[in-house]
Amino acid sequence: MSLFSLSKKVKKLKMHKKQAQQHDQPSKALPSSLQDQINYIKEKTGNSTDVIIRRLQLGDGRGPDTAVVFVEGIADSKAINDFLIESIMNKHPVESKQPIFETLFKEVVALGDVKEITDWDNLYLSLMSGESIILVDGVQKAISASTRGGEQRSVQEPSSQLTVRGPRDGFTESIRTNTALIRRRIQNPDLWLENMKIGSVTKTDVSIMYIKGIAKDEIIEEVRNRLKRIEIDSILESGYIEQLIEDTAFTTFPTLYHTERPDMVAGNLLEGRVAIIVNGTPFVLIAPAVFIQFFQSVEDYYGRADIATALRFLRILIFFISIIAPAAYIAVTTFHQEMIPTQLLVAIAAQRESVPFPALVEALIMEVSFEILREAGVRMPRAVGSAISIVGALVIGQAAVQAGIVSPAMVIIVAITAIANFATPAFAVAISARLIRFGFMFAAATFGFYGIILGVIILAVHLCSLRSFGVPYLTPMAPFIPANLGDTIVRLPLWAQKKRPRLFTDNKENRVGDNQKPQPPKSRGMVNSAIEKGDHDEQN
C-alpha cells in the first residue's frame, strides 16, 4: 500500500469518526422542540435521578409546554417552588403582547440573577452549578435562574487557628458564604471580585479578591494569568491551586499563605495582597506570602504591641529550637563534650553508659517513633486520638529508657522539640521544620557544630532565593526595607504603622492619621478642678 493511499484511508477514518461523534451528541445550539431538549439532557446526565425535570403549561393550558430543570441537593428547592414554579403557574403570559420567552425572562421569573442561554455548554454548566433551567417549547433558548443552595455547613469557629481574643466566625465550603464574610469586614466598593471556573471535569468556581487602588496591578495580573494557565481535570481543594501557581516547587517552605479566618484575609487585603477563594474548601489562599508572615497571629493585632513583639520573638526562638535542638544534642555529646559543664557531662555519660547506639541513631529512633505517634493521633478518631498519642509517648519513652535503648536526656530533648513544633502558629511551617530537622541531625553527626552552622547558612541562602509572585521571601529583611520593619518580628503600635508594605502596593496614603498617638491631657486644669470640687463636696 502506497503512502498516499494510507494517508487517504486515515483521513477517511477520521471523517467517519467525527461524523459518528456529531451523530451521538447534539450540536451546540439548542433544538426548538421541548421534548428533544429534555431527551438530550437525560441522555447527557445518564438519566440521573437527582436531575429533576418538572413539566408545566402556561396560561391554564393555553400556552406552550414549559419545563423547569434543576439538580436536587445543590439547588434551593424552596426558591424554585416559590419564585419559579408558583410564578409560572400563577401568571398568564399568553395574554401579554410580547413573546412568551421575553415575558418569562422579564416578568414571570421573580429572581435576581437571570441569564439567557443559547448553547448546551452554558446550559450544562449552569445546571451543574445549582441554577435552574427554564425551557419553552418552540424556542431555541433557555433561561438560567440563580437558585444555588442546598445543604451547607453553617459558619463556625475555625478549628485550625484558635485565638483567645478575636472573631469566632470561620470560612465554610461555600464560596459565596466566604466572600460575604470578607465583604462584611471591608464594606468598600473598591473590593473587587473576579470569578472563573478551573478544571475541565469538575468546573470548580475559583475567585480572586483584592482592593483596587491598594493592591499592585502587576501582582493582580500575575495571579490572574497563573490561574488562567491551569489545565487540569479537577480542582477539589485550594491545595491543588497552590501547587500549580507557586513560584518554587522544590522547597519545603510554603510560598502561599492559607487561612480559614475572614479577619486575617481582610487584614492581608488591606496590605495589598490578593485572596484566592476556591469553592468546596474553607481554606483561602493569600498571595504574595513572606517568611515572617507565618510567625504572626491575628491575635497580635488585637492586643498590646509590646506583648505581641515578645510573643513573636518567642515564636522565632521556638522555630529554631524545633529544627536545631536534637542536632545540638548530637553535636555536643559526639564532638564537643568540653562545652558541657562537668557535673552535667558526668550525668549524661552515666545515662549513656548502657545505651548501645550512637547519639544519631538514638535521636533517629525517638524522632521516628514520635512522628509515628503523631500521625496515629491525627488519623485516629478524635475520642481516642489524643489518648493514644499521649499514652503512647509516655509508655514508649519510659520503656525505651528502662530497656537501655535511649537515654533520659534524649527523651527530654525530643519532647521539647515536639512541643516547640506544636507551638509554631502556621502548620505549613511546622511541617517544614519536621523535615529540616533530620538534615540538621545528619550534619551534626558528621561535622558537629560546624555542620549545624553550615546548615543554617544553606537554609538562609535557600530562603533568600525564594520568591512569592515575584516578591522576595525574606522581605523586608532581605531586601532590607526600613519603612516596613514595623510589622515583622517587632510590632509597632497601630498608630505608628503608617505605611503599607512597599512591595505589595503602590498606595502612598497613610493607613492611620498623624494625630492618633495616645496622649494625656496637655494641662492639669481638668484634674485640679475635679480634686477641688471633690474637696468642696466633702466639706459641705
Side-chain angles (χ1 to χ4, degrees):
M1 183 181 294
S2 64
L3 186 62
F4 177 75
S5 59
L6 183 61
S7 62
K8 191 175 182 180
K9 189 174 182 179
V10 170
K11 287 182 180 179
K12 187 179 288 187
L13 289 173
K14 288 183 178 179
M15 187 178 296
H16 285 310
K17 186 177 180 181
K18 188 175 181 180
Q19 290 176 354
Q21 290 177 350
Q22 290 177 351
H23 183 268
D24 292 340
Q25 296 201 9
S27 62
K28 289 188 176 181
L30 271 64
S32 59
S33 172
L34 177 62
Q35 188 59 46
D36 290 342
Q37 295 172 355
I38 293 175
N39 291 338
Y40 285 145
I41 293 175
K42 287 183 177 180
E43 182 181 354
K44 183 65 176 179
T45 59
N47 204 14
S48 300
T49 55
D50 61 341
V51 178
I52 309 300
I53 301 175
R54 174 71 186 276
R55 300 192 64 158
L56 304 168
Q57 271 196 330
L58 298 176
D60 298 332
R62 292 175 292 170
D65 289 341
T66 308
V68 177
V69 186
F70 61 94
V71 179
E72 188 178 17
I74 62 174
D76 189 350
S77 300
K78 189 176 186 304
I80 294 171
N81 292 328
D82 295 345
F83 301 107
L84 283 184
I85 296 178
E86 188 174 343
S87 298
I88 293 174
M89 296 181 69
N90 290 340
K91 297 279 177 93
H92 300 280
V94 292
E95 299 175 359
S96 177
K97 294 182 180 180
Q98 43 184 0
I100 299 297
F101 187 86
E102 297 297 327
T103 303
L104 285 173
F105 189 82
K106 296 180 179 179
E107 298 179 8
V108 176
V109 178
L111 289 171
D113 188 9
V114 181
K115 297 181 295 184
E116 184 178 298
I117 295 177
T118 58
D119 59 275
W120 285 109
D121 291 339
N122 287 324
L123 187 146
Y124 292 134
L125 190 60
S126 299
L127 180 63
M128 296 305 163
S129 299
E131 299 179 359
S132 297
I133 307 299
I134 303 174
L135 303 172
V136 181
D137 190 22
V139 180
Q140 289 185 291
K141 294 186 292 185
I143 298 174
S144 172
S146 179
T147 55
R148 299 185 184 187
E151 295 296 329
Q152 298 177 359
R153 183 170 66 94
S154 60
V155 177
Q156 299 173 350
E157 183 178 1
S159 58
S160 62
Q161 294 174 313
L162 300 175
T163 59
V164 177
R165 180 179 181 179
R168 293 292 185 265
D169 55 343
F171 290 126
T172 68
E173 288 73 23
S174 171
I175 190 171
R176 283 296 158 256
T177 302
N178 296 343
T179 56
L181 289 174
I182 300 173
R183 285 199 179 275
R184 287 176 184 173
R185 288 167 169 80
I186 306 177
Q187 300 176 17
N188 194 310
D190 291 331
L191 180 61
W192 288 12
L193 182 70
E194 298 180 13
N195 298 326
M196 61 186 72
K197 290 187 179 292
I198 302 178
S200 58
V201 177
T202 58
K203 305 290 184 183
T204 306
D205 290 317
V206 179
S207 299
I208 60 173
M209 182 175 276
Y210 55 91
I211 301 178
K212 185 65 175 178
I214 294 181
K216 265 191 174 182
D217 293 336
E218 295 87 349
I219 294 178
I220 298 171
E221 188 64 25
E222 183 66 24
V223 173
R224 188 186 296 122
N225 291 336
R226 292 192 189 188
L227 290 174
K228 289 181 178 179
R229 286 200 303 263
I230 294 177
E231 294 182 3
I232 193 172
D233 59 348
S234 63
I235 297 293
L236 302 179
E237 213 271 341
S238 58
Y240 283 55
I241 300 288
E242 183 177 358
Q243 297 176 57
L244 294 171
I245 66 173
E246 59 186 357
D247 289 57
T248 306
F250 300 102
T251 179
T252 60
F253 291 96
T255 54
L256 277 88
Y257 192 87
H258 64 265
T259 179
E260 54 179 336
R261 294 191 62 93
D263 54 342
M264 183 170 288
V265 173
N268 282 276
L269 290 175
L270 291 167
E271 289 185 348
R273 292 182 173 92
V274 179
I276 304 173
I277 310 168
V278 182
N279 193 32
T281 175
F283 290 94
V284 173
L285 301 178
I286 298 174
V290 295
F291 181 68
I292 195 62
Q293 182 180 356
F294 294 92
F295 298 94
Q296 298 172 352
S297 173
V298 68
E299 198 173 7
D300 295 347
Y301 301 93
Y302 301 150
R304 296 185 57 83
D306 48 2
I307 297 175
T309 300
L311 291 177
R312 288 184 180 180
F313 272 104
L314 179 62
R315 292 171 194 145
I316 296 293
L317 176 63
I318 284 171
F319 174 74
F320 281 103
I321 288 175
S322 64
I323 63 175
I324 291 178
Y329 177 81
I330 293 171
V332 167
T333 56
T334 305
F335 295 99
H336 310 286
Q337 294 90 347
E338 69 278 1
M339 299 183 65
I340 308 176
T342 304
Q343 293 182 346
L344 180 59
L345 179 62
V346 171
I348 292 177
Q351 295 174 6
R352 291 188 48 79
E353 186 177 1
S354 60
V355 178
F357 304 112
L360 175 62
V361 176
E362 184 183 2
L364 287 175
I365 291 174
M366 289 304 299
E367 286 291 343
V368 172
S369 300
F370 189 81
E371 292 296 331
I372 294 172
L373 284 171
R374 175 154 38 189
E375 284 298 310
V378 171
R379 308 304 165 199
M380 292 294 291
R382 291 185 179 180
V384 296
S386 58
I388 287 178
S389 60
I390 295 173
V391 174
L394 291 174
V395 172
I396 291 178
Q398 183 66 24
V401 171
Q402 291 181 352
I405 299 176
V406 297
S407 61
M410 178 55 73
V411 175
I412 295 173
I413 293 296
V414 172
I416 292 174
T417 304
I419 294 172
N421 192 258
F422 283 130
T424 305
F427 182 70
V429 173
I431 295 178
S432 300
R434 288 163 60 179
L435 297 178
I436 295 171
R437 184 188 311 148
F438 288 95
F440 275 95
M441 289 165 57
F442 283 105
T446 307
F447 302 106
F449 272 120
Y450 300 103
I452 294 178
I453 298 302
L454 182 62
V456 171
I457 293 173
I458 294 174
L459 181 61
V461 171
H462 175 67
L463 290 175
C464 288
S465 67
L466 295 179
R467 297 288 186 274
S468 178
F469 288 83
V471 177
Y473 198 54
L474 289 183
T475 301
M477 283 83 73
F480 186 69
I481 305 176
N484 298 146
L485 293 177
D487 191 17
T488 52
I489 301 177
V490 176
R491 187 184 85 76
L492 297 179
L494 293 179
W495 50 264
Q497 298 181 28
K498 295 185 178 181
K499 301 295 183 182
R500 294 184 175 88
R502 184 184 301 173
L503 294 180
F504 301 151
T505 178
D506 291 327
N507 190 286
K508 305 299 183 184
E509 296 181 3
N510 288 350
R511 302 170 67 179
V512 296
D514 294 330
N515 300 319
Q516 300 301 309
K517 182 179 179 180
Q519 294 180 352
K522 293 183 179 180
S523 63
R524 297 182 177 272
M526 185 187 303
V527 179
N528 294 333
S529 62
I531 294 174
E532 292 174 359
K533 183 179 180 181
D535 294 340
H536 180 71
D537 293 341
E538 289 180 0
Q539 291 176 2
N540 293 335

